[in-house]
Amino acid sequence: MTLVKEDQQLSPIAPLLQPLTIRGMTIPNRLVMAPMTRSFCPDNLPGDDVVGYYQRRGEGGTGLIVTEAIGTDHPAAVGDTGLGEMNLPLFAGQDTVDAWARVVRAVHPTGAKIIPQLWHQGPMRMPNAEAPAFSPSGHYGDPEKAADYYIEKAKLIAATDMPVPSDEEIADVVEGFGRAAAQAMAAGFDGLALHGAHGYLIDSFLWEETNRRTGRWGGDRSQRTSFAVEVIKACRRAIGEDKPLIFRFSQWKQQDFRARLAETPQELEEILGPLADAGVDLLEASVRYFNTPAFPKESDLSLAGWAKKLTGKLTGAVGGIGFSKGMYDTMSSTSDGANNLPLVLERFEAGEFDIVSIGRALLHDPSWARKARLGEPLPAFDPQSLTRLT
């Protein structure tokens, strides 16, 4: 139900209830469902349970839904990363288009917009009989730097044979992103998002630890953006000029929480500038806690704030919104529902970011956006939410 203007003004999060136009898409508020892998797509297809899962988030007042990451048709795009991620969705033909079209048709009557996030797991994927893991330089990273809960799987992945792909093989993967983007448009989505963070394929080209190439796809910090730039261009051609394109990036990687793409704002500009120029409309800065200063020696500005300052693009904040701890600190224990929205609003009204992406809170409670709007108590996070589609 659309709020009347007076109701919006009375809400404790009134500034976040204003609409926003991103290229040709207008969302009714700034509350966004962050993409979260759920592993409920047997045969790589969303079923009735997934349709209902996203529909309920729209009914609960979320302005924009970004789906779980959906793989391209490349044989090594998705699989098990050692975290039990199976039953993952793909864009790989008309049956996948038809299945996601059902999701879109269920969400649109709620008033929310919905876009898919495309990904390729790259070096994070466990090898299997179909194809080896795909990495720019055949390298995973240092498994000893992985988090404790993941280190044994990291060692397994790092020890496997990852061939160094040819320039032509890399170009084929780029084309696969374009095909997936075209299929997303055929399914009726309102735009597109790209997963360029957390050590997955696009990010692995940006990170010097995993991209040791020279030539077309490697080199210095700016040259390492070549793969991401070509993926963005391929997707822009597929979705046209009216649809928005969102790009998620991060400093940290699952291989190394302390990893950094950039040590200074100038280095960050070398990375984000080419992405912005290639056709990105909004940069989503993924951090473990949304207001962590990106470069403490410079200021307390967040990573999203720096992205906006350096590129002039719209930005999104994600990480710990609605909680007092980051995601990997609450995966195995119940977390208090800390209402940190006053701090979110303070940063939002200072102009650091334009949208707020909510992950665990919306995964646990489809009506979280409505409760936040009304000033109701926000629920705690129960890790059991990860095992079901509520």
Side-chain angles (χ1 to χ4, degrees):
M1 180 181 297
T2 302
L3 286 174
V4 298
K5 187 174 182 180
E6 291 77 8
D7 289 335
Q8 290 179 329
Q9 292 172 340
L10 292 173
S11 171
I13 60 166
L16 296 176
L17 300 178
Q18 302 304 311
L20 175 69
T21 297
I22 312 171
R23 201 173 278 249
M25 177 186 74
T26 299
I27 57 177
N29 61 55
R30 311 302 180 91
L31 303 176
V32 177
M33 181 178 182
M36 292 171 282
T37 294
R38 301 310 319 273
S39 302
F40 282 92
C41 291
D43 300 320
N44 309 119
L45 298 169
D48 290 344
D49 53 350
V50 176
V51 172
Y53 168 75
Y54 287 116
Q55 182 180 15
R56 288 189 290 275
R57 272 70 192 169
E59 292 170 342
T62 307
L64 172 64
I65 293 169
V66 184
T67 72
E68 61 206 274
I70 303 173
T72 70
D73 58 10
H74 187 256
V78 298
D80 181 9
T81 66
L83 296 174
E85 295 169 343
M86 303 300 288
N87 295 326
L88 300 172
L90 296 172
F91 275 121
Q94 190 59 48
D95 56 342
T96 59
V97 172
D98 293 342
W100 281 106
R102 293 182 59 235
V103 176
V104 174
R105 288 195 298 269
V107 167
H108 277 163
T110 71
K113 302 294 185 181
I114 181 168
I115 66 176
Q117 185 191 64
L118 302 185
W119 74 340
H120 187 301
Q121 290 175 338
M124 293 297 297
R125 172 183 163 275
M126 294 284 286
N128 59 33
E130 293 182 2
F134 198 89
S135 175
S137 303
H139 189 60
Y140 167 84
D142 183 353
E144 298 291 345
K145 294 182 178 179
D148 290 343
Y149 72 90
Y150 189 58
I151 193 166
E152 293 306 317
K153 290 293 185 180
K155 289 178 180 178
L156 277 176
I157 297 174
T160 59
D161 180 31
M162 294 187 195
V164 178
S166 68
D167 289 355
E168 292 75 15
E169 287 172 324
I170 293 171
D172 286 343
V173 174
V174 171
E175 292 177 4
F177 273 95
R179 287 192 296 272
Q183 291 182 25
M185 296 303 97
F189 281 102
D190 300 299
L192 194 74
L194 290 170
H195 198 330
H198 306 167
Y200 294 116
L201 184 61
I202 296 176
D203 194 26
S204 71
F205 274 88
L206 298 175
W207 189 28
E208 62 182 348
E209 175 68 18
T210 42
N211 186 353
R212 304 177 182 183
R213 301 178 71 94
T214 58
R216 175 71 179 86
W217 304 105
D220 63 22
R221 188 172 291 101
S222 179
Q223 291 169 324
R224 291 197 301 272
T225 67
S226 295
F227 179 78
V229 164
E230 291 306 316
V231 168
I232 291 165
K233 289 180 177 179
C235 290
R236 174 56 67 198
R237 289 192 295 270
I239 70 176
E241 292 300 316
D242 293 333
K243 301 283 187 177
L245 182 58
I246 294 174
F247 188 95
R248 171 177 279 203
F249 74 99
S250 69
Q251 293 267 42
W252 66 274
K253 321 298 169 199
Q254 291 181 85
Q255 300 99 314
D256 183 356
F257 280 175
R258 290 180 290 276
R260 295 177 70 83
L261 290 179
E263 296 290 346
T264 67
Q266 293 73 26
E267 291 180 356
L268 185 63
E269 187 173 15
E270 291 177 33
I271 298 166
L272 299 185
L275 308 185
D277 293 342
V280 169
D281 298 300
L282 187 147
L283 291 159
E284 186 189 42
S286 178
V287 294
R288 294 182 68 193
Y289 204 72
F290 77 95
N291 67 337
T292 303
F295 306 106
K297 292 181 180 180
E298 299 282 344
S299 72
D300 69 348
L301 200 61
S302 67
L303 189 61
W306 275 110
K308 189 171 186 178
K309 181 176 181 177
L310 295 170
T311 68
K313 293 289 185 178
L314 299 172
T315 61
V318 61
I321 294 172
F323 298 104
S324 58
K325 295 181 179 180
M327 179 179 70
Y328 289 98
D329 301 315
T330 61
M331 294 293 278
S332 60
S333 62
T334 299
S335 169
D336 291 338
N339 186 347
N340 58 7
L341 291 179
L343 179 57
V344 173
L345 283 166
E346 180 181 328
R347 297 271 179 158
F348 175 79
E349 294 190 284
E352 283 194 32
F353 42 81
D354 302 280
I355 61 171
V356 174
S357 292
I358 302 105
R360 289 164 293 156
L362 263 174
L363 181 153
H364 176 73
D365 185 351
S367 296
W368 185 91
R370 179 186 62 78
K371 291 175 181 176
R373 184 196 83 205
L374 296 175
E376 296 179 358
L378 299 179
F381 175 73
D382 182 351
Q384 288 301 309
S385 301
L386 299 169
T387 67
R388 55 182 182 260
L389 293 176
T390 55

